[in-house]
Amino acid sequence: MKLALFGGIYSNALALTEAIRDARQRGADAMYCLGDLGAFGPHPDRVFPLLHEHDIACVQGNYDDSIGNERDDCQCGYTDPRDNHFAQISYDYTLARTSDAGKRWLRQLPREIRLSVDGLRILLCHGSPRRTNEFLWESTTSTAFLERLCRQADTDIIAGTHSGIHWMRRLSGGRCYVNAGVLGRPENDGKTNVWYAMLRTGPDADRSDRMSGRPAWSVDFVPVSYDFRQLAEQMRQESLPDEFIETILTGWWTTCLEILPSRERRAGRW
Amino acid sequence: MMPTPETSPHIELRSLDELWFQVAGTVCNLTCHHCFISCSPRNHSFEFLSYDQVERTLRESLEYGVREYYFTGGEPFLNPDLTRMLIRTLDFGPTTVLTNGTVLQDDWLDRLRRAEQNSRYSLEFRVSIDGPSPDINDPIRGNGTFVRAMRGVSRLCRAGFLPIITMTQTWDDRQTGPILSRFRDILKQHGCDRPRLKILPRLKLGAEQQRTEGYGVTERVTPDMMRGFDRDQLLCHHSRIVTSRGVFVCPILIESPDARMGSDLSDSMQPFEMKHGACWTCWQYGTICTNTTWMKSPTVEARSS
Ligand code: SF4
Ligand code: SF4
């Protein structure tokens, strides 16, 4: 099986459209979204029809919980006043522009989706299996910890998003953690593309991964190019912060940098 | 010992996410007036941990699935084995060291930077400086300490690290904005082009208790206050600290005899009665000791695991 895993969409319907096209072209059997459909970008309501039309099952992210239940903020928990300032602008915008039908739908999304595919137990979540808004960064997450999460959640593969940068770790016993990255904004690497993950299982896994005698899987991280200039233009028309638009145009994060561990921070420009 | 209210809530250890080492005991080259464990060059109530103790504990920690390791004191860099311990810890997981920045040496930092580059995990430095100038910092931390600590920050930046500066708040809330922006400028002048700053609340314990006042009897967490409270906000819900005198519930309470949980990790899994004034500060401010802020959230409760 080929499962396309989309991370946070952040209202980037243009990138989502390209990701769907790409996943179909690669022969995806199913597509999933790991939550945070709104935020950051323009016109949140443009994302829902795409998800419905293409049968994309979604996990509820912290943003979806907040918008769906009309809470006061996005629950990202930024500690820096400047980050909070920008986060609040985009939150208030998204809350005001999400239709009631959209909110109702966000409200009922599940916190996790469990799949059983080609002998593998797969758990799709937003942050971590135990906490929707837990950040799992590559440089601050030990292997022993990920093994424990798999054990406690009784699963072979955990897939999540939330932190915004894709990575994966192979664990003992043929288990694995995958962070699918996000479709909503670039990865703080000076490139304008975004990312998703393709999980291939059973006969679709790489030959080398099928040799172990265990249920097999392989992961590809797929870069997605889209019309980022058009996105920037839409954001401008909606009066979203220039700092966000700069990220879309340059590929460097300009806000929410305080939450990055030093290694991930050093990889960026600011 | 302070009087305690009739009932205090108990907090269980949900899981051992962060493991702390009080690697320099209560020994420090400084004697800050607000130190919550009264550290000083002469306070030997807790001694240094040895390399072997750290190694043994790291191995023991694997079965608990520890996510991150923290080193504190006193001043960790007074322990002559610290560099070696940090390098070893980077084989196990992300590592953070809390330092006052005044005794750092370039060759240690170069070795540590190389070790970090060879590891998949980050090595974070947290340097305590209590304000952007000697006139705010030095009355609390001692004469000349601002300049010495900033020299340490420059060394760290030169070695390629991005230190987190932690300040204990001794000023009025309204001054926080200007203090932060002034500190950012000063840090940039010292070669730190991406300043990371974190403000900590005062804990009215140890030397700070002498400096100002201790906790009042009503400053306690009650069972009511824990209803609906996100327990992940409290360090003791997901951490323990290893000291020369055994495993304690958290880095804050090591001078309270009841905070000692046992001699090794396996003894330290039981719940703890939150009867201390410091628990009240934690309840108000959330996880103040770790790098990761556990997100305050009314609804996204951790599912017990
Ligand atoms: S606050 Fe830190 S630097 Fe100051 S005396 Fe205590 S341990 Fe030493
Ligand atoms: S002082 Fe804070 S961390 Fe320590 S036991 Fe009390 S609440 Fe927990």
Side-chain angles (χ1 to χ4, degrees):
Chain A
M1 287 272 268
K2 294 183 184 173
L3 311 178
L5 307 176
F6 302 144
I9 298 169
Y10 307 167
S11 304
N12 192 343
L14 295 168
L16 175 61
T17 306
E18 287 308 317
I20 292 169
R21 197 202 318 272
D22 184 283
R24 289 238 182 273
Q25 217 162 43
R26 288 167 196 263
D29 296 290
M31 295 183 273
Y32 296 91
C33 173
L34 308 179
D36 278 4
L37 312 185
F40 201 82
H43 308 298
D45 273 354
R46 292 186 186 174
V47 164
F48 303 120
L50 290 168
L51 296 172
H52 300 324
E53 188 187 326
H54 295 276
D55 258 336
I56 302 176
C58 299
V59 171
Q60 185 183 60
N62 49 294
Y63 224 93
D64 311 319
D65 173 67
S66 287
I67 298 283
N69 292 295
E70 305 193 327
R71 300 190 197 286
D72 295 337
D73 62 47
C74 60
Q75 308 178 67
C76 288
Y78 301 127
T79 45
D80 183 71
R82 181 173 171 270
D83 291 347
N84 275 321
H85 169 73
F86 289 118
Q88 200 61 40
I89 293 176
S90 81
Y91 183 73
D92 293 342
Y93 170 87
T94 309
L95 186 63
R97 301 304 160 90
T98 304
S99 63
D100 287 342
K103 285 177 189 159
R104 263 198 308 280
W105 187 73
L106 290 172
R107 213 158 39 228
Q108 53 78 49
L109 291 176
R111 291 258 192 91
E112 61 174 45
I113 294 176
R114 284 182 186 259
L115 307 169
S116 186
V117 181
D118 290 324
L120 288 162
R121 297 163 302 168
I122 302 169
L123 170 63
L124 310 181
C125 60
H126 181 72
S128 80
R130 61 184 193 170
R131 192 166 174 119
T132 296
N133 65 351
E134 181 167 20
F135 288 102
L136 298 184
W137 304 100
E138 183 169 17
S139 79
T140 54
T141 307
S142 76
T143 300
F145 176 73
L146 291 171
E147 308 241 358
R148 157 152 63 89
L149 288 185
C150 279
R151 235 174 13 246
Q152 287 173 332
D154 218 359
T155 189
D156 301 310
I157 296 180
I158 296 174
T161 173
H162 189 53
S163 55
I165 300 177
H166 74 266
W167 62 283
M168 66 166 288
R169 179 109 22 103
R170 287 178 184 271
L171 306 171
S172 65
R175 296 177 175 202
C176 151
Y177 168 78
V178 184
N179 190 313
V182 294
L183 291 177
R185 63 170 181 175
E187 284 209 339
N188 200 23
D189 58 359
K191 301 201 175 79
T192 53
N193 65 276
V194 295
W195 294 84
Y196 77 94
M198 184 73 93
L199 175 63
R200 293 180 283 114
T201 62
D204 287 318
D206 288 342
R207 230 176 84 103
S208 54
D209 290 321
R210 281 185 272 125
M211 310 289 271
S212 67
R214 291 203 191 90
W217 52 265
S218 306
V219 176
D220 308 314
F221 289 110
V222 185
V224 178
S225 303
Y226 69 101
D227 191 347
F228 63 92
R229 286 190 195 85
Q230 194 189 336
L231 181 74
E233 189 46 41
Q234 290 176 5
M235 289 168 76
R236 226 173 262 130
Q237 278 164 13
E238 292 299 290
S239 307
L240 289 164
D242 287 341
E243 285 75 3
F244 290 4
I245 296 169
E246 187 185 331
T247 296
I248 295 299
L249 291 173
T250 63
W252 300 114
W253 293 2
T254 54
T255 59
C256 309
L257 295 163
E258 298 283 325
I259 55 163
L260 285 171
S262 59
R263 175 165 297 191
E264 282 79 359
R265 178 87 184 258
R266 276 186 301 237
R269 174 158 182 203
W270 303 112
Chain B
M1 194 76 250
M2 279 171 221
T4 52
E6 275 160 35
T7 52
S8 296
H10 282 75
I11 180 134
E12 72 289 354
L13 179 69
R14 178 208 50 197
S15 54
L16 190 56
D17 289 357
E18 301 96 25
L19 181 59
W20 290 68
F21 294 102
Q22 203 211 18
V23 74
T26 38
V27 182
C28 187
N29 57 320
L30 305 184
T31 45
C32 303
H33 296 318
H34 65 355
C35 183
F36 61 80
I37 39 180
S38 325
C39 293
S40 80
R42 293 162 306 279
N43 185 348
H44 287 271
S45 50
F46 288 79
E47 293 292 355
F48 290 178
L49 294 181
S50 69
Y51 182 87
D52 288 345
Q53 268 170 303
V54 171
E55 168 79 31
R56 213 177 323 117
T57 312
L58 286 171
R59 288 171 188 277
E60 194 190 351
S61 77
L62 278 177
E63 69 174 284
Y64 297 97
V66 169
R67 176 179 175 165
E68 292 185 69
Y69 300 91
Y70 286 80
F71 287 76
T72 187
E75 170 48 48
F77 280 95
L78 296 183
N79 186 321
D81 285 326
L82 184 74
T83 304
R84 210 154 63 94
M85 292 169 178
L86 294 175
I87 291 172
R88 179 64 178 137
T89 308
L90 283 168
D91 292 336
F92 288 80
T95 306
T96 297
V97 53
L98 280 61
T99 171
N100 61 36
T102 61
V103 296
L104 302 177
Q105 292 186 11
D106 288 334
D107 58 324
W108 302 341
L109 299 183
D110 290 340
R111 271 166 57 209
L112 289 170
R113 181 71 180 118
R114 277 197 300 278
E116 191 202 26
Q117 280 165 330
N118 291 330
S119 165
R120 58 157 55 118
Y121 302 120
S122 65
L123 174 61
E124 301 277 8
F125 283 85
R126 285 181 32 176
V127 185
S128 322
I129 306 177
D130 286 332
S133 63
D135 58 295
I136 307 179
N137 175 83
D138 289 7
I140 304 162
R141 305 188 69 85
N143 270 342
T145 53
F146 178 78
V147 170
R148 287 169 62 198
M150 287 306 292
R151 229 178 269 145
V153 169
S154 298
R155 284 179 202 276
L156 284 165
C157 294
R158 266 204 311 274
F161 292 107
L162 289 183
I164 302 170
I165 312 298
T166 56
M167 294 177 272
T168 302
Q169 182 170 349
T170 51
W171 56 81
D172 194 80
D173 275 344
R174 279 167 309 193
Q175 287 173 277
T176 297
I179 285 188
L180 281 174
S181 66
R182 220 169 113 209
F183 217 153
R184 282 204 185 92
D185 292 342
I186 301 276
L187 285 163
K188 284 189 181 155
Q189 288 164 23
H190 282 77
C192 189
D193 58 344
R194 304 174 208 211
R196 302 161 87 202
L197 290 160
K198 186 174 156 101
I199 298 175
L200 307 176
R202 286 183 306 125
L203 290 158
K204 295 187 275 184
L205 298 174
E208 174 66 11
Q209 187 177 336
Q210 312 299 322
R211 187 179 83 100
T212 52
E213 75 288 315
Y215 286 98
V217 280
T218 55
E219 292 175 325
R220 291 291 184 280
V221 179
T222 63
D224 248 6
M225 290 159 74
M226 293 302 286
R227 237 159 260 143
F229 181 79
D230 176 4
R231 291 171 174 236
D232 280 349
Q233 297 296 319
L234 304 175
L235 193 64
C236 47
H237 197 223
H238 39 85
S239 304
R240 290 292 184 255
I241 182 164
V242 177
T243 77
S244 64
R245 284 160 49 179
V247 182
F248 282 66
V249 64
C250 71
I252 298 164
L253 293 178
I254 56 161
E255 287 181 320
S256 307
D258 66 304
R260 185 178 185 277
M261 320 271 312
S263 50
D264 49 18
L265 289 183
S266 59
D267 305 328
S268 73
M269 299 290 133
Q270 72 272 25
F272 180 73
E273 190 181 354
M274 298 169 62
K275 61 182 182 197
H276 296 268
C279 300
W280 185 73
T281 302
C282 290
W283 184 88
Q284 282 181 299
Y285 292 95
T287 295
I288 50 189
C289 304
T290 49
N291 304 335
T292 343
T293 333
W294 280 89
M295 311 323 164
K296 271 217 192 300
S297 81
T299 50
V300 193
E301 260 291 347
R303 270 157 270 174
S304 64
S305 44

